[in-house]
Amino acid sequence: MPAAPMPALQFPAGFLRGPATSAHQVEGNNTRNQWWRFEQQPGAIWHGDRSGLACDWWNHAEVDFDLMERMGHSAHRMSLEWSRIEPEPGRFDSAAIERYRALLDGLRRRNIRPMVTLHHFTNPLWLEQAGGWENPAAIVRFQQYVRYAVRTLGDLCNQWVTLNEPLVYVVQGWVRGIWPPQKTHLLAALRVFRHLLQAHGVAYQTLHANSPGAPVGYALPVRVFQPSNPKRWLDRKAANLKRYLVEHLWVTGAADGKLRFPLGLDEYQHSLADSADFIGINFYTRDLVRFHPDPRQLFGEEHFSPDGEYSDRGRRGVYSEYAPQALHQIVREVNAFHKPIYITENGLPDHDDDQRPRWLLGHLHALHQAIQQGCDVRGYYHWTLTDNFEWSEGWGLRFGRVELDPATQLRRPRPSAALYSAIARTNAISETLVQTYAPELHPILFPTAAPQQQNVRKR
Ligand code: IFM
């Protein structure tokens, strides 16, 4: 007699499921920001790619909204493009706001709850020309834009993210120098970081003053740096230093309002204190760190485990190692701040979709375990629905559950689209889904069920 199926791994009622996107990566023709200008430089983007029409959301986002609805999504994290809303300093564009109102309304009519990010890597060209985030005036400029956005969109959006991955923005632009403004200048990097943290606090207050009931948070890039050799003191110190700079400075600053060294000397910022109603975690991988004397590497060289499993990004750089246990670890750590947690991004580049189903299941299982252990996780935003413009890697990395041909705008769902859709619809991971999409995970997700035949996938 066949064994009765095990009970599904059920997520709590109201747990939000849907994709995450950002304006520049999906809208198309965002010609007034610094990324558009950067893309025109020869050699800036892999294979000379450009964002171009991207996923054509400025004209036809509803095509993907329909897909989300059909896939049973209950939430979507998107961002606003500052350079559309304020194309010149102090001149706000009501037509852009009308389009964003239509987008937010379109989501709500499909029963998809929007979470809106106000800054996701791009700046208006005019801000960039005035010194960008190195200039403290950016904080006031950002506040004015945020005030306008919440006053004109606040009736349609009741959850806000101030800034996306501030540390990624700083490291890529001022430490590694591979994103605009292409600098390698540690002091300037710290200045920008400090201004971003202050801007977060100011934006938090502005959002609350204008839309008191709407929760506000940030989306933190988390890489769970671990010592390459835990027995080596220098490796442990190097990993801890990275965790301090990349994660702790921000999270603790937004909790107690202090600008810690090297951002400041513990100055207290009233607007920053208790400035997160929730914590957003963007998780893609863990990093191993071995000590390195180079201060530009922050005294730690990042590398991946030699026997790890990698996404399409391979061993080249970031976002690559399969490490759901690190997601579990970080969720438990962040839970100590007693704030609701959202996974504001998680995904992988996988053009042939031979890993995505298993990675999805592995990470959702890690979250499920954390929830069972009492962590207050309220939702999971998968990066992403449709292939989109992946910054320096252009169209060379495919993060979508739906394949997109940017030239024709034709969309073709990959197998993982049906998987995530089934999870989203039922708010659960069933044994059948695991058997169908990643049987090798069955003993891990359903350890007390009858043993299944193992089918280990390629590395
Ligand atoms: O595409 C990016 C996104 O803009 C920020 N987080 C990581 C994603 C994948 O690299």
Side-chain angles (χ1 to χ4, degrees):
M1 213 171 65
M6 296 284 293
L9 308 181
Q10 190 72 44
F11 289 92
F15 186 79
L16 298 175
R17 295 89 62 188
T21 61
S22 89
H24 189 72
Q25 294 176 269
V26 297
E27 284 179 358
N29 287 323
N30 269 321
T31 57
R32 291 170 185 260
N33 69 31
Q34 92 281 28
W35 260 91
W36 183 274
R37 191 183 53 186
F38 177 63
E39 290 164 30
Q40 316 308 313
Q41 284 178 30
I45 314 291
W46 275 13
H47 314 301
D49 286 351
R50 310 259 164 99
S51 55
L53 203 53
C55 309
D56 198 19
W57 270 33
W58 197 247
N59 302 308
H60 298 297
E62 291 76 1
V63 171
D64 281 334
F65 290 2
D66 286 344
L67 277 179
M68 291 182 206
E69 186 180 24
R70 284 205 292 276
M71 291 178 181
H73 293 346
S74 61
H76 171 46
R77 173 174 172 240
M78 56 176 272
S79 79
L80 305 178
E81 176 58 35
W82 184 357
S83 66
R84 282 194 193 273
I85 293 179
E86 193 180 0
E88 291 163 23
R91 182 173 76 76
F92 294 96
D93 185 345
S94 55
I97 288 294
E98 279 318 307
R99 179 61 183 141
Y100 282 123
R101 288 190 65 79
L103 294 183
L104 293 170
D105 187 50
L107 288 171
R108 292 162 67 99
R109 277 190 288 107
R110 291 170 177 84
N111 289 320
I112 298 172
R113 179 180 164 153
M115 174 190 268
V116 174
T117 304
L118 289 144
H119 186 272
H120 192 122
F121 300 153
T122 56
N123 300 317
L125 273 174
W126 58 261
L127 188 92
E128 204 73 359
Q129 279 149 9
W133 285 94
E134 284 182 53
N135 183 345
I139 300 170
V140 178
R141 285 295 185 191
F142 184 61
Q143 183 185 18
Q144 287 161 351
Y145 147 69
V146 169
R147 186 181 296 120
Y148 183 76
V150 64
R151 285 184 179 168
T152 50
L153 302 172
D155 58 324
L156 295 173
C157 166
N158 48 18
Q159 191 164 24
W160 300 90
V161 171
T162 54
L163 293 141
N164 178 71
E165 298 183 357
L167 245 291
V168 171
Y169 175 73
V170 172
V171 168
Q172 301 289 67
W174 282 266
V175 180
R176 300 178 75 201
I178 57 172
W179 285 7
Q182 294 179 280
K183 294 190 181 174
T184 45
H185 192 312
L186 281 184
L187 284 179
L190 287 174
R191 205 160 45 241
V192 172
F193 189 18
R194 178 186 163 105
H195 293 157
L196 291 170
L197 185 51
Q198 291 174 305
H200 161 75
V202 168
Y204 177 90
Q205 304 301 341
T206 305
L207 290 161
H208 267 275
N210 288 280
S211 184
V216 179
Y218 49 76
L220 190 75
V222 172
R223 301 182 64 91
V224 197
F225 299 100
Q226 296 169 348
S228 179
N229 177 354
K231 294 198 180 126
R232 207 167 162 234
W233 186 82
L234 281 172
D235 287 359
R236 290 203 306 275
K237 288 288 163 205
N240 284 344
L241 176 66
K242 294 222 180 200
R243 292 209 73 185
Y244 175 75
L245 293 171
V246 173
E247 295 157 10
H248 294 211
L249 272 180
W250 188 279
V251 180
T252 52
D256 66 12
K258 283 190 195 158
L259 295 172
R260 286 177 172 69
F261 186 78
L263 298 182
L265 296 172
D266 277 3
E267 297 99 295
Y268 177 75
Q269 308 268 298
H270 182 67
S271 55
L272 194 54
D274 200 13
S275 61
D277 304 315
F278 64 89
I279 297 182
I281 294 176
N282 289 7
F283 177 83
Y284 288 86
T285 186
R286 64 149 183 187
D287 270 318
L288 293 177
V289 179
R290 66 169 80 90
F291 172 75
H292 195 288
D294 182 0
R296 282 167 311 169
Q297 295 194 51
L298 307 174
F299 303 104
E301 184 186 26
E302 291 159 28
H303 70 100
F304 298 106
S305 153
D307 34 57
E309 182 197 327
Y310 305 95
S311 70
D312 284 356
R313 214 187 284 252
R315 291 161 194 253
R316 288 176 46 103
V318 286
Y319 311 127
S320 50
E321 189 181 348
Y322 178 65
Q325 70 287 357
L327 175 62
H328 180 256
Q329 177 190 331
I330 192 71
V331 166
R332 300 216 23 167
E333 288 177 16
V334 168
N335 199 51
F337 285 86
H338 303 293
K339 297 284 180 189
I341 298 169
Y342 291 87
I343 305 308
T344 32
E345 287 182 25
N346 173 242
L348 76 158
D350 179 21
H351 69 285
D352 57 4
D353 211 53
D354 68 336
Q355 296 169 295
R356 190 174 287 106
R358 189 158 46 87
W359 286 42
L360 246 176
L361 288 166
H363 287 88
L364 281 169
H365 172 242
L367 274 189
H368 185 265
Q369 282 187 316
I371 294 168
Q372 297 297 4
Q373 291 158 355
C375 296
D376 186 8
V377 186
R378 305 274 178 98
Y380 173 88
Y381 294 84
H382 180 255
W383 191 276
T384 186
L385 177 71
T386 305
D387 289 336
N388 63 37
F389 180 74
E390 179 55 26
W391 308 112
S392 295
E393 286 92 1
W395 296 96
L397 289 181
R398 300 307 186 108
F399 280 81
R401 281 172 276 128
V402 176
E403 182 183 341
L404 172 77
D405 177 345
T408 60
Q409 288 294 316
L410 283 178
R411 284 147 165 83
R412 199 165 59 89
R414 298 185 167 107
S416 55
L419 167 63
Y420 190 54
S421 170
I423 297 171
R425 276 179 199 297
T426 55
N427 197 21
I429 301 174
S430 70
E431 196 180 3
T432 313
L433 278 182
V434 177
Q435 282 160 341
T436 309
Y437 287 94
E440 67 276 22
L441 285 187
H442 186 266
I444 300 170
L445 270 64
F446 295 96
T448 54
Q452 299 290 308
Q453 205 189 332
Q454 301 268 317
N455 171 15
V456 178
R457 284 171 181 248
K458 78 175 161 87
R459 285 230 163 110

